[in-house]
Amino acid sequence: MYNSKITGLGYYVPDNIVTNNDLSKFMDTNDEWIQERTGIKERRWIKEGSEDTSAVMGAKASRIAIERAGLQPKDIDFIVFATLSPDYYFPGCGVQIQEMLGLRTVGALDIRNQCSGFVYAMSVADQFIKTGMYKNVLVIGSEFHSGGLDKTTRGRGVSVIFGDGAGAAVLSRTEDNSKGILSTHLHSEGKHAEELTVLAPSIRHWVPKLLEENDENDESYFPYMNGTFVFKHAVVRFSQAIDEGLKANNLDVSDINMLIPHQANLRITQFIQKKFKLSDDQVHSNIQKYGNTTAASVIIALTEAWELGKIKDGDLVVLAAFGSGFTWGSVIIRW
Ligand code: UT7
């Protein structure tokens, strides 16, 4: 049986830095509140007029990942693209990557699992490689949040958290079963779908109805989050996803060399770190700089940790995520 391993990593974030103080110029918020509740100091928001979109940023991150894998675009056999902020309502961003990178007419799949999107995408890619169907799969997480946020005081509980950016990994076939993706674990609980959601447009709330109502106070276009409720579930599900992944491989918390949690909130990460008694060296956080980039956050953090030399050959790396759906999951990797 084949195994899959990460052969290339890349990320891209827009240049435009938006600090907490910048936000306080157009909504009633402040640096102290944001840092105390979330750990975020600044985030990247695409500047108006920039060429960047979720697909464009995904392509930029992908070019780096493909080059680092020592491959050419023609070597990619399949694309998995995770985003909640696609360039079009449909089609998905995956097909744009096929065009932008000049790939063969390979299959392209979009994943709609929000903050867990990259973990889901890795799992899908892993299955395609393990079955022997593909050799090199390009896995992307990319988000352009800033264009769709409610940047008034009404939206402050959500808008201060989210940032723009993209990351990509190349997952390749290997016959060495001691290294690579050991296992992936995926979950959902749809009864909480409306605790973290964007309601419109959708078949319950189509555009003609929105236009007919023409209500400028309609909040359904903007992300809604029941923050405290989501927070409480996040700490439980993150823990379960990590435990499940370790148990499946007869491993223990002490075996973890690097935990890359979805960067939802620094308080959530610190809770998990404390619960599992992990040292600062065993957990990578970059939410301070980039905010929560949902489907891009795990891959940006993984790439950054790797670039900083924090991940070495033979290390046990755990990716874990939780988010809208609710969905959650983990990926257990022997580097
Ligand atoms: O990535 C997917 C998963 N997402 C998450 O895991 C996020 C989970 N949730 C959270 O991270 C936190 O719930 C938040 C950071 C979103 C909010 O923190 P909180 O401690 O739960 O605050 P809260 O929503 O209970 O609001 C507390 C107070 C409220 O004022 P009152 O009602 O106590 O007077 C809010 O109106 O803080 C107010 N508030 C703000 N004040 C200044 C809310 N947002 C802001 C803001 N600036 N940006």
Side-chain angles (χ1 to χ4, degrees):
M1 186 169 138
Y2 297 116
N3 201 11
S4 68
K5 69 168 188 179
I6 294 173
T7 50
L9 291 168
Y11 80 93
Y12 168 85
V13 288
D15 293 337
N16 186 38
I17 297 173
V18 179
T19 65
N20 295 340
N21 284 332
D22 291 335
L23 297 182
S24 65
K25 290 175 196 149
F26 46 82
M27 63 173 80
D28 181 11
T29 190
N30 57 78
D31 182 49
E32 196 189 347
W33 190 97
I34 300 172
Q35 283 212 49
E36 193 183 306
R37 308 275 175 144
T38 69
I40 299 167
K41 295 179 186 199
E42 58 191 41
R43 74 285 294 139
R44 304 297 175 99
W45 278 3
I46 290 170
K47 241 193 175 138
E48 230 179 286
S50 159
E51 62 159 14
D52 283 339
T53 65
S54 292
V56 170
M57 291 192 296
K60 288 178 179 175
S62 297
R63 285 189 190 100
I64 299 168
I66 293 170
E67 197 190 324
R68 285 177 172 170
L71 298 174
Q72 302 286 325
K74 67 174 170 39
D75 300 319
I76 297 298
D77 300 314
F78 194 65
I79 305 157
V80 191
F81 197 119
T83 187
L84 64 73
S85 49
D87 291 24
Y88 306 116
Y89 187 83
F90 70 82
C93 287
V95 299
Q96 291 176 270
I97 294 296
Q98 184 276 328
E99 161 70 13
M100 287 172 183
L101 298 188
L103 305 188
R104 292 176 286 115
T105 58
V106 298
L109 175 70
D110 272 47
I111 299 270
R112 296 193 48 186
N113 286 86
Q114 301 68 247
C115 303
S116 312
F118 190 77
V119 163
Y120 267 75
M122 285 285 274
S123 181
V124 169
D126 183 45
Q127 311 315 313
F128 274 121
I129 289 175
K130 284 194 170 132
T131 57
M133 186 154 173
Y134 297 128
K135 269 190 184 169
N136 298 302
V137 180
L138 179 61
V139 189
I140 303 160
S142 183
E143 302 287 9
F144 181 174
H145 280 295
S146 58
L149 298 171
D150 179 355
K151 293 175 186 151
T152 68
T153 298
R154 184 180 69 176
R156 66 181 179 174
V158 174
S159 301
V160 301
I161 297 169
F162 293 107
D164 302 335
V170 176
L171 221 58
S172 302
R173 181 190 289 179
T174 169
E175 288 175 29
D176 177 359
N177 283 328
S178 64
K179 289 215 176 130
I181 310 290
L182 302 183
S183 63
T184 61
H185 307 271
L186 307 177
H187 294 278
S188 70
E189 190 173 31
K191 73 177 171 191
H192 301 311
E194 293 196 2
E195 303 296 347
L196 177 46
T197 184
V198 176
L199 291 172
S202 67
I203 53 163
R204 288 193 195 164
H205 219 134
W206 273 132
V207 174
K209 185 162 165 255
L210 291 167
L211 291 175
E212 185 191 307
E213 288 168 359
N214 195 19
D215 176 3
E216 64 181 31
N217 294 318
D218 188 345
E219 294 174 46
S220 57
Y221 294 110
F222 295 118
Y224 163 79
M225 174 164 68
N226 182 349
T228 318
F229 186 85
V230 175
F231 192 109
K232 285 182 186 155
H233 282 256
V235 291
V236 174
R237 297 309 193 185
F238 264 111
S239 306
Q240 289 174 349
I242 296 165
D243 272 334
E244 184 184 13
L246 291 173
K247 209 173 266 175
N249 295 285
N250 295 317
L251 294 165
D252 187 74
V253 173
S254 60
D255 294 313
I256 297 178
N257 297 104
M258 180 53 73
L259 170 67
I260 308 282
H262 159 53
Q263 311 285 304
N265 181 323
L266 192 61
R267 305 291 158 251
I268 295 176
T269 300
Q270 286 168 337
F271 179 94
I272 300 298
Q273 180 174 343
K274 203 168 159 202
K275 185 176 169 193
F276 286 99
K277 300 192 176 64
L278 296 168
S279 69
D280 287 350
D281 292 345
Q282 289 171 286
V283 184
H284 189 65
S285 291
N286 61 7
I287 190 169
Q288 301 89 331
K289 291 188 292 182
Y290 302 133
N292 178 341
T293 57
T294 56
S297 94
V298 168
I299 179 58
I300 293 176
L302 176 65
T303 307
E304 192 182 73
W306 174 78
E307 285 180 356
L308 291 168
K310 288 178 155 194
I311 301 175
K312 291 172 210 69
D313 211 32
D315 277 358
L316 187 79
V317 179
V318 175
L319 315 181
F322 169 86
S324 161
F326 291 153
T327 56
W328 62 100
S330 58
V331 179
I332 313 295
I333 307 168
R334 179 66 69 190
W335 207 260

